[in-house]
Amino acid sequence: MSTRRGNPPVLKRLGQHFLHDERVLRRIAEAIAPLPGETIVEIGPGRGALTDILAEGENAITAIEIDKALSEKLRVRYAKNPRVKIVEADVLKTDVAELAGGPFVVAGNVPYYITTPIIFHVLRAPYPRHAVFLVQLEVAQRIVAPPGSRTYGALSVNVQAVANAEIVFEVPRGAFSPPPKVTSAVVKITPRPDPIVGPEDAVRFRGFVQALFGMRRKQIANALRSVSELNTQQVAEVLASLGIDPQTRSETLSPEAQAELMNAVRSVLLV
Ligand code: SAM
């Protein structure tokens, strides 16, 4: 089944909003800026609007698209371009680094229903040099939010613990077809050479941070007692050892402080 313009039907459940504004697409390509020899892994190429622009360059492109009809169309379109590989798969079940097979960057106007899982799926060792995602503006703001700000939360801490993130530019609803309900933004996420949390601790850290932000307005001494098995005295000792005021609210603690806190709690519990 095809729509009138020869495109497969839009599948809302897959978060399909296709970019058609060429200026926006070119600005995204500029932000991706692959180095010679890097593979660009594109997540959710859709109808290939961004892929077409990326394919103007010299880099290899591996595009992962879950929609069978769209993948087939793309495969036909790039059949004569050996630098473009189309993989029909769920990105969350795909080893992105292995697929790239060498140095890589990640790009994608990602489906909004799984933005956060995709970000954490990509932010794993071996890391891409950077990832450029088009996401909801509100999500982009949460990713880059500094400690203590209104939008600072678990997503900010978990991304900032392993990467530097910046909003590159905003994208209005009208740049898409069909238009999404909200404004979007391009966010560039660059893994840090010195991640605060190692791969072995990433999942534990996410759980710890999530629990702390569940009590973001509470003083840290009370929040820590609730989320850990420490007693009042142990909590006081842990906070004193890190120089954290017990009256500080969790929502003002930097990613570094939250990681130190997790490690300190763990070392007390392991004694
Ligand atoms: N990049 C295209 C563009 O800018 O026009 C399409 C963007 S659209 C917001 C998101 C794309 O991701 C859709 O083509 C959708 O089918 C695809 N997609 C959704 N879930 C996916 C998944 N789990 N794995 C891979 N692709 C997925």
Side-chain angles (χ1 to χ4, degrees), residues 14-19 42 44-46 49 64-67 70 89-91 109-111 113-114:
L14 292 179
Q16 293 182 348
H17 297 279
F18 300 104
L19 263 176
E42 188 187 354
I64 309 165
E65 172 57 61
I66 200 172
D67 184 324
L70 289 173
D90 178 347
V91 65
N109 167 12
V110 295
Y113 73 106
I114 44 169

Side-chain angles (χ1 to χ4, degrees), residues 3-269:
T3 60
R4 259 182 299 151
R5 282 143 85 201
N7 287 317
V10 174
L11 300 181
K12 282 208 169 136
R13 70 184 161 79
L14 292 179
Q16 293 182 348
H17 297 279
F18 300 104
L19 263 176
H20 56 66
D21 185 323
E22 178 151 356
R23 256 178 1 131
V24 170
L25 287 158
R26 292 208 171 268
R27 285 184 76 187
I28 296 176
E30 267 169 39
I32 297 165
L35 297 174
E38 281 180 339
T39 296
I40 306 171
V41 176
E42 188 187 354
I43 298 173
R47 294 175 182 163
L50 182 60
T51 326
D52 277 351
I53 291 174
L54 298 174
E56 291 171 3
E58 299 296 318
N59 294 77
I61 301 166
T62 297
I64 309 165
E65 172 57 61
I66 200 172
D67 184 324
K68 189 175 176 26
L70 289 173
S71 310
E72 276 169 8
K73 272 201 93 167
L74 290 171
R75 213 168 279 137
V76 172
R77 166 136 37 125
Y78 296 113
K80 294 212 171 87
N81 187 339
R83 285 185 293 103
V84 181
K85 191 163 98 188
I86 306 297
V87 178
E88 183 193 325
D90 178 347
V91 65
L92 296 177
K93 296 187 181 143
T94 307
D95 186 329
V96 175
E98 190 179 288
L99 208 56
F104 69 113
V105 290
V106 171
N109 167 12
V110 295
Y112 292 170
Y113 73 106
I114 44 169
T115 300
T116 308
I118 288 177
I119 290 174
F120 290 126
H121 186 65
V122 168
L123 280 183
R124 289 194 307 193
Y127 293 105
R129 186 169 56 83
H130 61 229
V132 173
F133 291 125
L134 182 51
V135 301
Q136 291 179 41
L137 173 61
E138 178 261 330
V139 174
Q141 286 166 336
R142 286 200 278 131
I143 290 172
V144 304
S149 65
R150 196 176 45 81
T151 45
Y152 185 64
L155 182 61
S156 333
V157 174
N158 284 311
V159 172
Q160 293 169 26
V162 293
N164 297 312
E166 58 173 316
I167 293 180
V168 189
F169 63 96
E170 292 185 16
V171 180
R173 299 167 60 236
F176 301 86
S177 165
K181 290 203 178 82
V182 292
T183 303
S184 300
V186 174
V187 67
K188 182 171 172 183
I189 301 177
T190 308
R192 301 164 56 137
D194 57 339
I196 295 168
V197 175
E200 66 292 349
D201 279 337
V203 171
R204 186 199 303 268
F205 186 59
R206 255 178 251 160
F208 182 74
V209 169
Q210 197 78 46
L212 275 191
F213 276 100
M215 332 192 151
R216 55 184 295 143
R217 316 271 326 153
K218 267 196 182 179
Q219 295 183 354
I220 189 64
N222 297 332
L224 204 51
R225 247 197 327 270
S226 309
V227 306
S228 72
E229 285 155 29
L230 301 189
N231 61 37
T232 307
Q233 191 187 334
Q234 288 170 318
V235 164
E237 284 169 7
V238 161
L239 293 175
S241 73
L242 298 175
I244 297 174
D245 178 346
Q247 294 187 343
T248 308
R249 289 198 309 267
S250 323
E251 64 186 358
T252 64
L253 288 178
S254 67
E256 285 84 351
Q258 300 204 21
E260 284 173 357
L261 210 45
M262 177 183 78
N263 290 332
V265 168
R266 185 165 37 178
S267 56
V268 172
L269 292 176

